[in-house]
Amino acid sequence: MPPPASPARSEAQVPAGDAFTPDQLYDIERAVRYAEETSGLHFSVYVGGADSETRPFAIELLNELDDPDHTVLVYVDPAGRRLEIVTGEQAKRQLSDSSAGLAALTMQTSFATGDLTGGLVTGVQQLGTHAHQAPMLHANDEAHKL
């Protein structure tokens, strides 16, 4: 079996063998777009086995992306029953560990019932919502000066 595809921003990568239907991929990609639009960060989903320990492997995947500092990577190994959410430096400022933990719990609950796609969709949307940054008013805008 060929190795999994490399992760890319705004795409849900799956191992060869097409573990997801086209409709499921569409739902995951739509959740990624929503999270990116809501938070201003990049999101990537990788589903497959790790070449090594899970967390270092997920960090390695994150660092291979175009803009790792502004990225949230969701790594799932269904066979190994592993889930990692790793963030770049800027993403870490917007997404707290507790918020990522809540999203992980949401995903794990869905995964436990056999709903991999639903868990990914809900979890990624939740991550984007938690990483949302309120728009800043421009202090140098004449209309907003005191």
Side-chain angles (χ1 to χ4, degrees), residues 2 21 28 30 40 42 68 76 78 83-85 93 98-99 106-108 110 115 122 136 145:
T21 68
I28 295 167
R30 191 176 61 197
H42 306 297
V76 179
L83 168 65
E84 292 286 343
I85 299 171
R93 292 185 186 118
S98 60
S99 292
T106 297
M107 287 187 263
Q108 288 170 331
S110 291
D115 188 6
T122 304
M136 295 185 64
K145 284 189 179 179

PDB file of all heavy atoms in Angstrom, residues 2 21 28 30 40 42 68 76 78 83-85 93 98-99 106-108 110 115 122 136 145:
ATOM      1  N   PRO A   2       0.648   2.232  -0.864  1.00  0.00           N
ATOM      2  CA  PRO A   2       1.463   3.446  -0.902  1.00  0.00           C
ATOM      3  C   PRO A   2       1.295   4.236   0.391  1.00  0.00           C
ATOM      4  O   PRO A   2       0.283   4.137   1.076  1.00  0.00           O
ATOM      5  CB  PRO A   2       0.908   4.228  -2.095  1.00  0.00           C
ATOM      6  CG  PRO A   2      -0.197   3.441  -2.671  1.00  0.00           C
ATOM      7  CD  PRO A   2      -0.384   2.213  -1.865  1.00  0.00           C
ATOM      8  N   THR A  21     -15.745   8.809   1.585  1.00  0.00           N
ATOM      9  CA  THR A  21     -16.483   9.002   0.337  1.00  0.00           C
ATOM     10  C   THR A  21     -16.292  10.441  -0.128  1.00  0.00           C
ATOM     11  O   THR A  21     -15.890  11.301   0.669  1.00  0.00           O
ATOM     12  CB  THR A  21     -17.986   8.736   0.543  1.00  0.00           C
ATOM     13  OG1 THR A  21     -18.517   9.766   1.388  1.00  0.00           O
ATOM     14  CG2 THR A  21     -18.245   7.362   1.138  1.00  0.00           C
ATOM     15  N   ILE A  28     -15.704  17.478   5.309  1.00  0.00           N
ATOM     16  CA  ILE A  28     -14.489  17.807   6.059  1.00  0.00           C
ATOM     17  C   ILE A  28     -13.846  19.071   5.493  1.00  0.00           C
ATOM     18  O   ILE A  28     -13.458  19.972   6.247  1.00  0.00           O
ATOM     19  CB  ILE A  28     -13.501  16.624   6.052  1.00  0.00           C
ATOM     20  CG1 ILE A  28     -14.102  15.425   6.799  1.00  0.00           C
ATOM     21  CG2 ILE A  28     -12.161  17.034   6.674  1.00  0.00           C
ATOM     22  CD1 ILE A  28     -13.351  14.118   6.590  1.00  0.00           C
ATOM     23  N   ARG A  30     -15.318  21.456   3.895  1.00  0.00           N
ATOM     24  CA  ARG A  30     -16.189  22.588   4.238  1.00  0.00           C
ATOM     25  C   ARG A  30     -15.951  23.027   5.684  1.00  0.00           C
ATOM     26  O   ARG A  30     -15.901  24.223   5.985  1.00  0.00           O
ATOM     27  CB  ARG A  30     -17.652  22.207   4.006  1.00  0.00           C
ATOM     28  CG  ARG A  30     -18.593  23.399   4.073  1.00  0.00           C
ATOM     29  CD  ARG A  30     -19.993  23.014   3.749  1.00  0.00           C
ATOM     30  NE  ARG A  30     -20.426  22.024   4.750  1.00  0.00           N
ATOM     31  CZ  ARG A  30     -21.467  21.234   4.615  1.00  0.00           C
ATOM     32  NH1 ARG A  30     -22.191  21.277   3.531  1.00  0.00           N
ATOM     33  NH2 ARG A  30     -21.790  20.399   5.566  1.00  0.00           N
ATOM     34  N   GLY A  40      -9.142  32.984  10.908  1.00  0.00           N
ATOM     35  CA  GLY A  40      -8.024  33.615  10.218  1.00  0.00           C
ATOM     36  C   GLY A  40      -6.776  32.740  10.214  1.00  0.00           C
ATOM     37  O   GLY A  40      -5.729  33.154   9.721  1.00  0.00           O
ATOM     38  N   HIS A  42      -4.879  28.802   9.417  1.00  0.00           N
ATOM     39  CA  HIS A  42      -4.936  27.704   8.457  1.00  0.00           C
ATOM     40  C   HIS A  42      -5.223  26.425   9.239  1.00  0.00           C
ATOM     41  O   HIS A  42      -4.746  26.262  10.365  1.00  0.00           O
ATOM     42  CB  HIS A  42      -3.614  27.551   7.711  1.00  0.00           C
ATOM     43  CG  HIS A  42      -3.149  28.797   7.057  1.00  0.00           C
ATOM     44  ND1 HIS A  42      -3.842  29.424   6.040  1.00  0.00           N
ATOM     45  CD2 HIS A  42      -2.055  29.562   7.280  1.00  0.00           C
ATOM     46  CE1 HIS A  42      -3.196  30.504   5.673  1.00  0.00           C
ATOM     47  NE2 HIS A  42      -2.106  30.614   6.406  1.00  0.00           N
ATOM     48  N   PRO A  68       3.373  27.051   8.979  1.00  0.00           N
ATOM     49  CA  PRO A  68       3.124  26.315  10.224  1.00  0.00           C
ATOM     50  C   PRO A  68       2.810  27.209  11.422  1.00  0.00           C
ATOM     51  O   PRO A  68       2.058  26.800  12.309  1.00  0.00           O
ATOM     52  CB  PRO A  68       4.407  25.511  10.444  1.00  0.00           C
ATOM     53  CG  PRO A  68       5.438  26.144   9.593  1.00  0.00           C
ATOM     54  CD  PRO A  68       4.719  26.815   8.468  1.00  0.00           C
ATOM     55  N   VAL A  76      -5.244  12.266  13.053  1.00  0.00           N
ATOM     56  CA  VAL A  76      -6.009  11.138  13.571  1.00  0.00           C
ATOM     57  C   VAL A  76      -5.435   9.850  12.984  1.00  0.00           C
ATOM     58  O   VAL A  76      -5.262   9.739  11.764  1.00  0.00           O
ATOM     59  CB  VAL A  76      -7.506  11.243  13.200  1.00  0.00           C
ATOM     60  CG1 VAL A  76      -8.285  10.051  13.730  1.00  0.00           C
ATOM     61  CG2 VAL A  76      -8.110  12.538  13.723  1.00  0.00           C
ATOM     62  N   PRO A  78      -6.867   6.345  13.115  1.00  0.00           N
ATOM     63  CA  PRO A  78      -7.990   5.520  13.561  1.00  0.00           C
ATOM     64  C   PRO A  78      -7.565   4.127  14.031  1.00  0.00           C
ATOM     65  O   PRO A  78      -8.062   3.634  15.038  1.00  0.00           O
ATOM     66  CB  PRO A  78      -8.897   5.421  12.336  1.00  0.00           C
ATOM     67  CG  PRO A  78      -8.488   6.536  11.447  1.00  0.00           C
ATOM     68  CD  PRO A  78      -7.035   6.777  11.724  1.00  0.00           C
ATOM     69  N   LEU A  83      -5.236  10.642  18.547  1.00  0.00           N
ATOM     70  CA  LEU A  83      -5.667  11.959  18.092  1.00  0.00           C
ATOM     71  C   LEU A  83      -4.695  12.977  18.648  1.00  0.00           C
ATOM     72  O   LEU A  83      -4.384  12.959  19.842  1.00  0.00           O
ATOM     73  CB  LEU A  83      -7.087  12.271  18.592  1.00  0.00           C
ATOM     74  CG  LEU A  83      -7.574  13.717  18.450  1.00  0.00           C
ATOM     75  CD1 LEU A  83      -7.696  14.116  16.981  1.00  0.00           C
ATOM     76  CD2 LEU A  83      -8.900  13.908  19.165  1.00  0.00           C
ATOM     77  N   GLU A  84      -4.186  13.836  17.797  1.00  0.00           N
ATOM     78  CA  GLU A  84      -3.313  14.934  18.213  1.00  0.00           C
ATOM     79  C   GLU A  84      -3.800  16.214  17.545  1.00  0.00           C
ATOM     80  O   GLU A  84      -4.142  16.213  16.362  1.00  0.00           O
ATOM     81  CB  GLU A  84      -1.855  14.700  17.792  1.00  0.00           C
ATOM     82  CG  GLU A  84      -1.163  13.573  18.488  1.00  0.00           C
ATOM     83  CD  GLU A  84      -0.777  13.874  19.932  1.00  0.00           C
ATOM     84  OE1 GLU A  84      -0.754  15.057  20.325  1.00  0.00           O
ATOM     85  OE2 GLU A  84      -0.497  12.906  20.656  1.00  0.00           O
ATOM     86  N   ILE A  85      -3.815  17.288  18.302  1.00  0.00           N
ATOM     87  CA  ILE A  85      -4.080  18.622  17.762  1.00  0.00           C
ATOM     88  C   ILE A  85      -2.834  19.426  18.068  1.00  0.00           C
ATOM     89  O   ILE A  85      -2.481  19.616  19.239  1.00  0.00           O
ATOM     90  CB  ILE A  85      -5.318  19.270  18.406  1.00  0.00           C
ATOM     91  CG1 ILE A  85      -6.554  18.415  18.131  1.00  0.00           C
ATOM     92  CG2 ILE A  85      -5.504  20.693  17.883  1.00  0.00           C
ATOM     93  CD1 ILE A  85      -7.786  18.844  18.907  1.00  0.00           C
ATOM     94  N   ARG A  93      -1.494  31.170  20.186  1.00  0.00           N
ATOM     95  CA  ARG A  93      -1.952  32.392  20.870  1.00  0.00           C
ATOM     96  C   ARG A  93      -3.464  32.559  20.758  1.00  0.00           C
ATOM     97  O   ARG A  93      -4.089  33.183  21.596  1.00  0.00           O
ATOM     98  CB  ARG A  93      -1.252  33.610  20.285  1.00  0.00           C
ATOM     99  CG  ARG A  93       0.215  33.650  20.588  1.00  0.00           C
ATOM    100  CD  ARG A  93       0.848  34.940  20.078  1.00  0.00           C
ATOM    101  NE  ARG A  93       2.279  34.873  20.255  1.00  0.00           N
ATOM    102  CZ  ARG A  93       3.158  34.923  19.266  1.00  0.00           C
ATOM    103  NH1 ARG A  93       2.747  35.069  18.018  1.00  0.00           N
ATOM    104  NH2 ARG A  93       4.442  34.840  19.504  1.00  0.00           N
ATOM    105  N   SER A  98      -7.035  24.384  26.605  1.00  0.00           N
ATOM    106  CA  SER A  98      -8.328  23.889  27.095  1.00  0.00           C
ATOM    107  C   SER A  98      -9.364  23.841  25.973  1.00  0.00           C
ATOM    108  O   SER A  98     -10.159  22.901  25.897  1.00  0.00           O
ATOM    109  CB  SER A  98      -8.836  24.727  28.271  1.00  0.00           C
ATOM    110  OG  SER A  98      -9.017  26.070  27.895  1.00  0.00           O
ATOM    111  N   SER A  99      -9.348  24.810  25.072  1.00  0.00           N
ATOM    112  CA  SER A  99     -10.272  24.791  23.935  1.00  0.00           C
ATOM    113  C   SER A  99      -9.951  23.633  22.994  1.00  0.00           C
ATOM    114  O   SER A  99     -10.853  22.950  22.499  1.00  0.00           O
ATOM    115  CB  SER A  99     -10.207  26.107  23.162  1.00  0.00           C
ATOM    116  OG  SER A  99     -10.729  27.161  23.936  1.00  0.00           O
ATOM    117  N   THR A 106     -14.765  16.161  22.021  1.00  0.00           N
ATOM    118  CA  THR A 106     -15.896  16.077  21.096  1.00  0.00           C
ATOM    119  C   THR A 106     -15.603  15.067  19.989  1.00  0.00           C
ATOM    120  O   THR A 106     -16.435  14.215  19.666  1.00  0.00           O
ATOM    121  CB  THR A 106     -16.184  17.465  20.480  1.00  0.00           C
ATOM    122  OG1 THR A 106     -16.557  18.367  21.520  1.00  0.00           O
ATOM    123  CG2 THR A 106     -17.282  17.401  19.435  1.00  0.00           C
ATOM    124  N   MET A 107     -14.396  15.165  19.419  1.00  0.00           N
ATOM    125  CA  MET A 107     -14.026  14.247  18.343  1.00  0.00           C
ATOM    126  C   MET A 107     -13.961  12.806  18.841  1.00  0.00           C
ATOM    127  O   MET A 107     -14.482  11.896  18.197  1.00  0.00           O
ATOM    128  CB  MET A 107     -12.687  14.657  17.733  1.00  0.00           C
ATOM    129  CG  MET A 107     -12.782  15.894  16.870  1.00  0.00           C
ATOM    130  SD  MET A 107     -11.245  16.251  15.991  1.00  0.00           S
ATOM    131  CE  MET A 107     -10.544  17.465  17.092  1.00  0.00           C
ATOM    132  N   GLN A 108     -13.329  12.606  19.985  1.00  0.00           N
ATOM    133  CA  GLN A 108     -13.182  11.248  20.520  1.00  0.00           C
ATOM    134  C   GLN A 108     -14.534  10.601  20.803  1.00  0.00           C
ATOM    135  O   GLN A 108     -14.707   9.398  20.589  1.00  0.00           O
ATOM    136  CB  GLN A 108     -12.332  11.273  21.791  1.00  0.00           C
ATOM    137  CG  GLN A 108     -10.880  11.552  21.492  1.00  0.00           C
ATOM    138  CD  GLN A 108     -10.066  11.816  22.749  1.00  0.00           C
ATOM    139  OE1 GLN A 108     -10.583  12.297  23.754  1.00  0.00           O
ATOM    140  NE2 GLN A 108      -8.790  11.512  22.684  1.00  0.00           N
ATOM    141  N   SER A 110     -17.330  11.131  19.135  1.00  0.00           N
ATOM    142  CA  SER A 110     -17.850  10.690  17.832  1.00  0.00           C
ATOM    143  C   SER A 110     -17.080   9.489  17.305  1.00  0.00           C
ATOM    144  O   SER A 110     -17.667   8.554  16.761  1.00  0.00           O
ATOM    145  CB  SER A 110     -17.790  11.828  16.815  1.00  0.00           C
ATOM    146  OG  SER A 110     -18.717  12.830  17.137  1.00  0.00           O
ATOM    147  N   ASP A 115     -18.130   7.267  14.124  1.00  0.00           N
ATOM    148  CA  ASP A 115     -18.387   8.391  13.212  1.00  0.00           C
ATOM    149  C   ASP A 115     -17.130   9.239  13.056  1.00  0.00           C
ATOM    150  O   ASP A 115     -17.007  10.305  13.659  1.00  0.00           O
ATOM    151  CB  ASP A 115     -19.555   9.224  13.735  1.00  0.00           C
ATOM    152  CG  ASP A 115     -19.996  10.296  12.744  1.00  0.00           C
ATOM    153  OD1 ASP A 115     -19.475  10.333  11.608  1.00  0.00           O
ATOM    154  OD2 ASP A 115     -20.871  11.101  13.116  1.00  0.00           O
ATOM    155  N   THR A 122     -17.210  18.205  13.260  1.00  0.00           N
ATOM    156  CA  THR A 122     -17.589  18.947  14.471  1.00  0.00           C
ATOM    157  C   THR A 122     -16.365  19.490  15.196  1.00  0.00           C
ATOM    158  O   THR A 122     -16.351  20.639  15.637  1.00  0.00           O
ATOM    159  CB  THR A 122     -18.403  18.036  15.411  1.00  0.00           C
ATOM    160  OG1 THR A 122     -19.533  17.538  14.690  1.00  0.00           O
ATOM    161  CG2 THR A 122     -18.877  18.788  16.637  1.00  0.00           C
ATOM    162  N   MET A 136     -10.643  44.041  15.273  1.00  0.00           N
ATOM    163  CA  MET A 136     -10.091  45.163  16.037  1.00  0.00           C
ATOM    164  C   MET A 136     -10.530  46.472  15.398  1.00  0.00           C
ATOM    165  O   MET A 136     -10.552  46.599  14.179  1.00  0.00           O
ATOM    166  CB  MET A 136      -8.570  45.086  16.058  1.00  0.00           C
ATOM    167  CG  MET A 136      -8.058  43.869  16.808  1.00  0.00           C
ATOM    168  SD  MET A 136      -6.276  43.845  16.969  1.00  0.00           S
ATOM    169  CE  MET A 136      -6.020  45.282  17.981  1.00  0.00           C
ATOM    170  N   LYS A 145     -11.475  58.074  17.115  1.00  0.00           N
ATOM    171  CA  LYS A 145     -10.633  58.821  18.062  1.00  0.00           C
ATOM    172  C   LYS A 145     -11.499  59.466  19.126  1.00  0.00           C
ATOM    173  O   LYS A 145     -12.607  59.898  18.873  1.00  0.00           O
ATOM    174  CB  LYS A 145      -9.844  59.889  17.326  1.00  0.00           C
ATOM    175  CG  LYS A 145      -8.680  59.304  16.568  1.00  0.00           C
ATOM    176  CD  LYS A 145      -7.797  60.389  16.034  1.00  0.00           C
ATOM    177  CE  LYS A 145      -6.624  59.756  15.307  1.00  0.00           C
ATOM    178  NZ  LYS A 145      -5.753  60.759  14.759  1.00  0.00           N
TER     179      LYS A 145
END
